[in-house]
Amino acid sequence: METIKFEVEGDYVELNLLLKLTGLCDSGGAGKAIVASGDVSVDDVQELRKTCKVRRGQVVTLGDVRIEVI
């Protein structure tokens, strides 16, 4: 499993933008589609809210990629 460490600026980053900023998709719109497909989990719980606020200490998983938000 590939692990990406992402340092958030501010209090949070929206889930669809996190996918874009880590290079897992080309745009925020594509990120929304990926989240809507049900393939993304936050802290091992399926997440369907496209603009879910992801904060430091949380872990986002998409397929075999794990994003640690720091």
Side-chain angles (χ1 to χ4, degrees):
M1 179 174 275
E2 177 185 358
T3 300
I4 299 170
K5 294 194 184 285
F6 180 82
E7 188 170 345
V8 67
E9 295 178 14
D11 293 334
Y12 65 90
V13 61
E14 292 179 352
L15 183 55
N16 64 314
L17 294 178
L18 177 64
L19 298 178
K20 176 187 172 190
L21 294 171
T22 55
L24 297 178
C25 64
D26 295 333
S27 68
K32 286 181 179 183
I34 292 170
V35 174
S37 74
D39 293 335
V40 180
S41 63
V42 177
D43 294 335
D44 293 323
V45 177
Q46 182 185 44
E47 183 58 71
L48 297 173
R49 296 175 295 160
K50 301 167 190 79
T51 58
C52 166
K53 295 177 181 177
V54 181
R55 301 176 191 279
R56 287 180 191 86
Q58 292 189 295
V59 176
V60 176
T61 307
L62 173 61
D64 63 348
V65 179
R66 173 184 163 106
I67 305 167
E68 295 178 359
V69 180
I70 57 173

